[in-house]
Amino acid sequence: MTTLRNTKAVPPTTFYTKPREDKRSAQQQLQDQIEAFEASGGRIEKLGNTPLRKNH
């Protein structure tokens, strides 16, 4: 038998109406957070591609 649970989950359509707006909004929020972090003295280490080392 299945038990129904009261959930506080909010449907995604409540916050955003279009997928493109979701991406743009999320990208802008992330950019703002990164800028605030760097402005407060935080540093972000940007990693590049590291070739695999073969120990033969």
Side-chain angles (χ1 to χ4, degrees):
M1 180 160 76
T2 304
T3 304
L4 295 176
R5 296 181 184 184
N6 183 9
T7 180
K8 294 181 181 179
V10 179
T13 56
T14 302
F15 294 111
Y16 301 107
T17 56
K18 298 179 182 176
R20 288 180 190 244
E21 290 176 9
D22 285 353
K23 277 187 172 182
R24 288 184 186 132
S25 176
Q27 182 181 13
Q28 186 60 46
Q29 287 176 354
L30 183 59
Q31 185 63 35
D32 292 344
Q33 291 172 354
I34 289 172
E35 288 173 1
F37 176 74
E38 290 177 337
S40 69
R43 291 186 1 171
I44 297 175
E45 181 179 354
K46 296 175 184 169
L47 304 176
N49 294 334
T50 304
L52 296 175
R53 295 184 200 161
K54 295 184 179 181
N55 297 330
H56 293 297

